[in-house]
Amino acid sequence: MQRSTLKAWFLVHKWTSLVCTLFLLLLCVTGLPLVFWEEISHLTGAEAEVAPAPPGMQAANVDDLVTKALAQYPGDVPLFFGWDDHSPSVYVNTGARPDTPPPEMHTAVMHQYTGEVLPVAQFNEGVMYFLYRLHTDVFVGLPGMLFLGAMALLFAVAIVSGLVLYGPFMRKLSFGTLRTGRSRRLAWLDLHNVLGIVTLGWAFVVGITGAINTLAQPLEQAWQSEQLGEFARRYEGRPRPERLASLDAAIATARAAEPGMTPAFVSFPGTGYSGDHHYGVFMHGDTPLTERLYRPVLIDAETGELTARPQLPGYMTTLLLSQPLHFGDYGGLPLKFLWALLDLLTIAVLVSGLYLWFKRGSTDTRIAEIERSGLPENGLAHARNAGAAS
């Protein structure tokens, strides 16, 4: 690789890494407990144990469950109704108005068969929710999401530029070499090299899926405008219905329309997911992949009749698949432990990169030393100073 090309890639890697490192550390540290959100909720009692369904007992009427949830929060309106795929429990989100944002919602969790209201903490309260907001939008909403998405993209550029530089910088050393007997900085550099290349593929995937996830709100709004807008125009000028048809019957209609799928959640009119005049019954499959891919069934909320079964566009499918891939929650506890280990190794890469930056020398000196002596330097490091090694 020519000196000018080497220096260009070096500078790209250095500055993209430096700009995003502190924010990536924030994301890695907050993301670690989020991988185990469900398990932590069980251990802390934030998520109640749900008794198995009594043998032969039919599930409770959904309309009765919604009524019971509304009784918990007088004055609220129903927003979402959903099922837990791993226990016989359901949840109802309510709010003061149909467009209530998630931080202001109330949640009632009930046994799907007995109708018992379960003593669980609100999803938008507590330490885990604090970490979730810090991880996703640093408490400033969409601008925070987009900013963190930009940092994730810079991280991806840093990874690619580091991979380009890795070959020339490591050509004279065996993979995994740690030179501990020469200088502290050189030992840190070798450790940074090894951990960086080991976690490279995972870090790139998590960085890209994280960037995609930050676009969730704009993508959902685009889908609502593109597809739901078509159905909303049919009801233009008509007020939102005050008396709603049976939700239980609407769900039965959706099940009949998609017999190979089961309902995941239902959106009520006005929430943005199904327009102002429809229930949106979002169906999904029962495999680790298909349970993430929703098929909306729109039911007229006034008449209970099936209106449409719109296909999700490709960008929404990409979003839905990137979410579980980002947190590693589609393969059970073993995959979560793997995600956690890789997260810790990535934290080590970032910390070692900062150390190398503070112990840096000039760029020209470092590149000249690499070219002259053939000593390996890692493109994944934030600072290179082979000349400092003695």
Side-chain angles (χ1 to χ4, degrees):
M1 186 180 294
Q2 294 183 351
R3 179 183 175 86
S4 58
T5 304
L6 182 68
K7 185 174 182 178
W9 278 108
F10 183 86
L11 292 173
V12 167
H13 177 75
K14 180 179 73 172
W15 289 110
T16 54
S17 300
L18 285 174
V19 170
C20 72
T21 289
L22 290 179
F23 299 102
L24 260 297
L25 274 173
L26 169 68
L27 294 176
C28 287
V29 171
T30 56
L32 185 59
L34 291 177
V35 171
F36 299 101
W37 190 337
E38 183 178 354
E39 290 75 16
I40 292 173
S41 296
H42 278 297
L43 289 174
T44 59
E47 187 170 318
E49 293 292 334
V50 184
M57 189 175 187
Q58 296 293 319
N61 183 281
V62 172
D63 297 291
D64 293 340
L65 294 175
V66 172
T67 300
K68 184 172 290 189
L70 291 174
Q72 304 294 311
Y73 305 103
D76 278 10
V77 296
L79 305 175
F80 298 95
F81 181 97
W83 291 259
D84 187 334
D85 292 328
H86 308 293
S87 73
S89 65
V90 295
Y91 66 86
V92 181
N93 295 133
T94 68
R97 57 189 189 280
D99 60 348
T100 299
E104 300 174 18
M105 290 181 184
H106 299 128
T107 301
V109 179
M110 293 167 285
H111 197 289
Q112 184 179 356
Y113 291 83
T114 66
E116 175 191 2
V117 178
L118 304 175
V120 299
Q122 294 294 302
F123 79 94
N124 51 7
E125 297 176 354
V127 174
M128 295 304 294
Y129 183 71
F130 174 84
L131 293 175
Y132 173 76
R133 288 293 307 274
L134 197 59
H135 185 85
T136 55
D137 65 4
V138 288
F139 294 94
V140 293
L142 182 59
M145 286 186 179
L146 297 178
F147 175 79
L148 292 179
M151 294 300 101
L153 289 177
L154 281 181
F155 183 49
V157 173
I159 290 172
V160 171
S161 58
L163 181 61
V164 171
L165 293 169
Y166 183 80
F169 287 170
M170 295 296 291
R171 63 184 180 269
K172 289 193 176 182
L173 279 184
S174 300
F175 176 78
T177 298
L178 296 178
R179 293 167 292 175
T180 58
R182 300 178 63 178
S183 73
R184 177 178 296 181
R185 186 192 177 281
L186 193 58
W188 275 84
L189 176 61
D190 287 341
L191 178 65
H192 185 82
N193 292 346
V194 173
L195 296 181
I197 202 65
V198 166
T199 59
L200 183 142
W202 176 86
F204 184 79
V205 169
V206 171
I208 291 296
T209 54
I212 294 172
N213 289 341
T214 63
L215 300 175
Q217 185 174 333
L219 292 179
E220 289 173 357
Q221 290 175 344
W223 171 68
Q224 292 164 14
S225 174
E226 175 186 323
Q227 289 195 325
L228 296 184
E230 174 187 346
F231 303 108
R233 282 189 288 271
R234 302 178 188 177
Y235 295 82
E236 193 170 359
R238 292 172 54 179
R240 186 181 298 151
E242 296 183 1
R243 294 181 61 85
L244 302 179
S246 167
L247 178 58
D248 199 79
I251 294 170
T253 299
R255 287 181 183 272
E258 297 289 348
M261 308 182 80
T262 56
F265 70 92
V266 180
S267 61
F268 281 77
T271 57
Y273 283 80
S274 50
D276 287 340
H277 299 86
H278 290 85
Y279 291 124
V281 184
F282 287 77
M283 312 292 288
H284 66 167
D286 57 1
T287 68
L289 176 64
T290 60
E291 72 178 3
R292 307 290 178 175
L293 299 176
Y294 299 123
R295 177 71 182 271
V297 179
L298 300 182
I299 307 293
D300 190 300
E302 198 166 24
T303 66
E305 297 178 352
L306 173 66
T307 298
R309 294 180 294 163
Q311 292 281 356
L312 285 180
Y315 57 81
M316 284 299 295
T317 299
T318 301
L319 173 64
L320 293 172
L321 291 177
S322 70
Q323 291 171 341
L325 188 59
H326 183 72
F327 286 106
D329 62 354
Y330 61 90
L333 202 55
L335 188 63
K336 290 185 179 184
F337 278 118
L338 176 61
W339 248 237
L341 174 61
L342 291 168
D343 186 285
L344 289 171
L345 293 178
T346 301
I347 291 174
V349 172
L350 296 171
V351 171
S352 60
L354 287 175
Y355 173 84
L356 293 170
W357 164 252
F358 287 117
K359 297 294 183 178
R360 68 192 181 277
S362 71
T363 299
D364 287 335
T365 299
R366 284 171 281 164
I367 291 179
E369 185 66 22
I370 294 167
E371 293 175 329
R372 181 173 64 252
S373 66
L375 286 175
E377 283 278 355
N378 184 6
L380 294 172
H382 297 282
R384 316 295 192 270
N385 191 7
S390 57

